[in-house]
Amino acid sequence: NAFSNHKQKGEQALTTTPKPMTRPQLRVLHALDMARTQLYHFRTVMIAGMGFFTDAYDLFSISLLADLIGDLHYGGTDYDGERLPRRMRAALFSVAFCGTISGELIFGWLGDKMGRKRVYGMTLILMVASSLASGLSLGGCMDGSAVIVLCFFRFWLGVGIGGDYPLSATIMSEYANKRRRGAFMAAIFTMQGFGILAAGIVSMTVYAAFRNSSRMSSDYIWRIVLMFGAIPAALTYYWRMKMPETARYTALIDKNANKAALDMSTVLSFQVVPEEGAVNELAREDQYGLFSTAFLQRHGIHLIGTSACWLLLDITFYSLNLFMEHTMVKKPSFNDGIVDMWKITAIHTFITLGGTLPGYILTVALVDRIGRIKIQLFGFFMMSIFTLCLAIGYNDWKHKKIAFGFLCGLTFFFANFGPNTTTFIIPAEIFPARLRSMCHGISGAAGKIGAIIGVLGFIYMNEQKMMYVLSGCNVIGLIFTFLLPESKGKSLEEITGEIVEMQLSEDITQELAAAEHIHIVPM
């Protein structure tokens, strides 16, 4: 009949339609994907996570110190109800983000060209040096020159932080097994929450120590807090340098099958046989670049999605931190800056413990069960609801501190059990290996552009109107999420279309399964 004839023609069309070039997965990459969770996974989380701890500590601590710095270096003069002139507040908050944009793009590109490990140590050295230099910023006590010097060093701190984002994400995604990859990457990002918490605890401790000190001695407070951020990052430098290059870079980009097999044999404690023939075949394949038509057709919409979602998320995430600290504490009296800063820091720490950290931890537990896209959609949806509630009753919420703090805490919870974590994970999974670090850097740079927009909006826009803008950003972020593919439980090469998903030959599968440190999961 007509229906069966139409069906047969359709089947013939499907069998004759040309398919994109794909290949079986390399043995070494298959071994990584199927490996059971073991020590090297947790070691990688800690090594990369300490960088994120420092990133978050340095980026968020400045908001706790800004008014104290203004009190000490601008004489406590009332600048429209603030201690710090508006232009200097904008510069102090946004200059590190400007550096982060540069770092994400530069080191993201270098990570694909020179290797992930090779440039990983550079970002750490830059972060440590800039953190120490920030605390040593020289200048006059009342003329604001020290703040200008501080802004210079915070720019370079931002460059180091920016480089850490794409490299840490790419390294973890390429080391992890496919069943727990999302959890490992979320665990790295969870260190951001601990960094935010540490910024509050360290600030409160130093404030308490100097509470009864003289005005000149109080200048040590912000310097000590900023310099402390260098310590955890410096402790991991040795281990970063000991990490082998990822097998995906070595095999798929550097085309060195022997080295990839040797490095991963050490990591997995299992002998992986190199596949020179397969790697040589890869070298002959047509590999498209970032600005090629092939990339635009295959991944252009994905890059738009990851960049837009990260930009819209960071507009809300960073500006809401400033809104919270600004609204929860009564306007400063300009006679006890340390007490005012202690109150701000205490509130910040409480909300981090109650909302921010639980969101991160829940994502670690559920991201490989629920999936990245569902978590991101739900997070954006709930954030839009709570920011809309804040906007509608903003004038009332300002006088109901506990209710305002509760709504902020819920917003941060769903940001972290939502797009704040997934926007970090997804770009490191859905792009091909030779462009993975660069595309993550582009996505993250878009996010930091959003952070700058959020900071400037907080400083220059009407607060209630800005809340409506934040709610709208979350709705738009939800819409852009539909452009992204789900990557849960898949090999990186399967996600990007570089391999056909298939069983390895029986002898290879049995060989891997027999290894003591490898657990093969049925595909």
Side-chain angles (χ1 to χ4, degrees):
N1 56 32
F3 176 77
S4 61
N5 290 336
H6 177 75
K7 182 179 178 181
Q8 289 176 359
K9 290 179 180 179
E11 290 174 347
Q12 290 174 0
L14 286 174
T15 57
T16 57
T17 300
K19 297 181 180 180
M21 182 181 294
T22 56
R23 53 179 170 75
Q25 191 177 31
L26 295 177
R27 184 194 303 247
V28 63
L29 305 186
H30 184 80
L32 284 170
D33 280 341
M34 307 305 283
R36 69 174 177 86
T37 300
Q38 50 190 289
L39 180 61
Y40 80 89
H41 289 119
F42 296 104
R43 186 186 299 123
T44 306
V45 168
M46 289 305 300
I47 293 170
M50 280 297 103
F52 263 83
F53 180 97
T54 298
D55 297 350
Y57 180 94
D58 288 325
L59 288 177
F60 285 90
S61 60
I62 197 66
S63 63
L64 307 177
L65 302 170
D67 283 345
L68 178 62
I69 292 172
D71 188 37
L72 294 169
H73 292 275
Y74 286 88
T77 305
D78 190 341
Y79 295 95
D80 296 325
E82 305 290 347
R83 283 189 169 96
L84 197 61
R86 181 172 292 185
R87 69 184 187 281
M88 291 309 301
R89 180 177 292 270
L92 198 59
F93 287 164
S94 61
V95 68
F97 295 134
C98 293
T100 303
I101 294 170
S102 303
E104 298 233 35
L105 296 174
I106 294 170
F107 285 102
W109 177 75
L110 289 175
D112 287 333
K113 296 299 179 183
M114 298 174 59
R116 288 69 158 115
K117 176 195 172 181
R118 198 169 179 183
V119 295
Y120 205 26
M122 300 180 192
T123 64
L124 198 67
I125 292 172
L126 195 53
M127 283 194 293
V128 171
S130 300
S131 293
L132 295 174
S134 295
L136 299 173
S137 300
L138 302 177
C141 231
M142 304 299 291
D143 60 3
S145 57
V147 180
I148 296 173
V149 177
L150 174 61
C151 286
F152 172 80
F153 288 123
R154 283 191 65 78
F155 173 84
W156 288 105
L157 173 65
V159 174
I161 290 173
D164 206 55
Y165 269 75
L167 294 172
S168 292
T170 301
I171 287 171
M172 190 70 252
S173 72
E174 294 184 345
Y175 263 111
N177 61 54
K178 66 181 183 180
R179 293 183 67 226
R180 295 286 181 266
R181 185 176 60 240
F184 287 129
M185 296 182 69
I188 289 177
F189 205 68
T190 298
M191 295 303 292
Q192 184 184 78
F194 286 104
I196 296 171
L197 179 64
I201 293 173
V202 171
S203 298
M204 289 176 66
T205 303
V206 178
Y207 287 150
F210 284 86
R211 185 165 184 169
N212 298 317
S213 62
S214 65
R215 183 182 182 87
M216 293 299 296
S217 297
S218 298
D219 193 49
Y220 290 113
I221 294 176
W222 65 270
R223 298 178 184 275
I224 292 172
V225 172
L226 293 181
M227 293 174 72
F228 182 85
I231 297 175
L235 294 176
T236 63
Y237 179 77
Y238 171 78
W239 294 108
R240 282 201 182 194
M241 295 299 96
K242 292 285 287 183
M243 290 177 66
E245 182 58 83
T246 70
R248 285 179 162 90
Y249 179 87
T250 305
L252 301 179
I253 301 176
D254 207 27
K255 311 299 184 189
N256 191 333
N258 286 324
K259 189 173 188 306
L262 180 62
D263 287 344
M264 292 307 104
S265 295
T266 303
V267 168
L268 296 169
S269 301
F270 164 72
Q271 185 65 39
V272 180
V273 179
E275 299 171 276
E276 283 289 353
V279 171
N280 291 333
E281 182 181 343
L282 290 178
R284 293 192 296 270
E285 289 184 9
D286 180 25
Q287 297 192 345
Y288 51 85
L290 180 65
F291 300 105
S292 66
T293 303
F295 177 84
L296 183 63
Q297 292 174 342
R298 299 181 190 183
H299 299 290
I301 198 72
H302 298 156
L303 187 57
I304 292 173
T306 56
S307 300
C309 289
W310 208 331
L311 181 146
L312 294 160
L313 176 276
D314 275 4
I315 291 176
T316 299
F317 191 77
Y318 286 93
S319 61
L320 193 60
N321 268 287
L322 301 178
F323 273 114
M324 178 187 69
E325 293 153 10
H326 179 76
T327 305
M328 292 291 287
V329 178
K330 188 178 179 180
K331 287 290 184 180
S333 59
F334 297 98
N335 56 18
D336 197 348
I338 295 180
V339 172
D340 289 336
M341 291 305 98
W342 195 92
K343 292 177 181 177
I344 291 175
T345 306
I347 293 167
H348 167 95
T349 304
F350 179 77
I351 291 179
T352 300
L353 281 171
T356 303
L357 269 178
Y360 285 117
I361 294 169
L362 192 60
T363 304
V364 174
L366 298 180
V367 68
D368 286 314
R369 298 182 183 181
I370 298 176
R372 290 78 158 131
I373 302 303
K374 289 181 181 178
I375 289 177
Q376 183 160 309
L377 288 170
F378 185 62
F380 268 131
F381 175 76
M382 297 304 295
M383 289 173 67
S384 65
I385 296 297
F386 289 122
T387 49
L388 183 61
C389 290
L390 286 170
I392 292 172
Y394 187 75
N395 292 325
D396 294 328
W397 294 125
K398 289 195 301 185
H399 305 293
K400 299 175 181 177
K401 306 296 186 184
I402 295 178
F404 183 87
F406 180 71
L407 281 176
C408 285
L410 285 174
T411 307
F412 284 123
F413 174 83
F414 286 106
N416 295 312
F417 180 56
N420 192 41
T421 306
T422 53
T423 52
F424 171 77
I425 296 173
I426 295 172
E429 295 182 315
I430 65 174
F431 298 105
R434 62 187 173 280
L435 300 171
R436 184 169 292 136
S437 180
M438 182 73 247
C439 289
H440 196 286
I442 293 171
S443 304
K448 292 306 169 279
I449 292 173
I452 294 173
I453 294 171
V455 168
L456 296 180
F458 162 75
I459 293 173
Y460 292 104
M461 277 187 69
N462 173 274
E463 295 174 354
Q464 188 173 23
K465 290 181 180 178
M466 186 62 185
M467 281 293 181
Y468 281 111
V469 171
L470 299 185
S471 183
C473 287
N474 293 321
V475 173
I476 299 171
L478 186 151
I479 295 170
F480 272 100
T481 300
F482 287 105
L483 300 178
L484 303 174
E486 180 56 69
S487 52
K488 179 186 72 170
K490 298 179 180 179
S491 165
L492 295 178
E493 290 70 39
E494 180 190 356
I495 298 166
T496 60
E498 295 172 284
I499 65 166
V500 290
E501 181 62 6
M502 58 181 295
Q503 291 284 91
L504 291 185
S505 62
E506 185 178 351
D507 60 326
I508 296 176
T509 303
Q510 291 177 352
E511 178 185 347
L512 292 172
E516 180 181 357
H517 296 278
I518 299 292
H519 173 62
I520 298 300
V521 181
M523 298 175 65

